Amino acid sequence: MNDILQELKIASLHGHSDFSDGFNKVSQNVIAAAEKGLYGLATTEHGTCASLVSHSVACKEQGIAPILGCEFYLRLPEYMNE
């Protein structure tokens, strides 16, 4: 069992930066993930893709797999609410 655990690749799949409602800059999030030994780090900003390029570049510089995402919002047309 220990052999299996040592081969696991851990990634954070949900996170925000100061591009939406997070407190840290993209680079701070990536450096923290690298210090913790994460394999990958996601950015999933609220309603914007503005941080994706800087997140991807910072992850590659730190040797972390960038996971790119966004939290989009949908509103159903009024006729579907009836």
Side-chain angles (χ1 to χ4, degrees):
M1 184 69 165
N2 279 343
D3 293 336
I4 294 171
L5 292 177
Q6 290 179 350
E7 292 182 32
L8 287 177
K9 295 181 178 179
I10 308 297
S12 172
L13 300 178
H14 184 100
H16 306 287
S17 73
D18 62 349
F19 275 85
S20 64
D21 65 344
F23 295 105
N24 294 331
K25 297 202 174 299
V26 169
S27 60
Q28 292 172 308
N29 288 342
V30 173
I31 290 169
E35 289 173 350
K36 290 177 179 23
L38 293 183
Y39 171 79
L41 180 66
T43 186
T44 53
E45 308 293 2
H46 289 279
T48 181
C49 293
S51 68
L52 295 184
V53 172
S54 56
H55 175 79
S56 182
V57 169
C59 282
K60 289 179 182 180
E61 288 174 353
Q62 293 293 323
I64 296 174
I67 302 167
L68 308 177
C70 184
E71 289 186 40
F72 289 103
Y73 305 97
L74 300 175
R75 180 170 178 231
L76 295 175
E78 289 300 320
Y79 72 89
M80 296 182 80
N81 292 323
E82 298 173 356

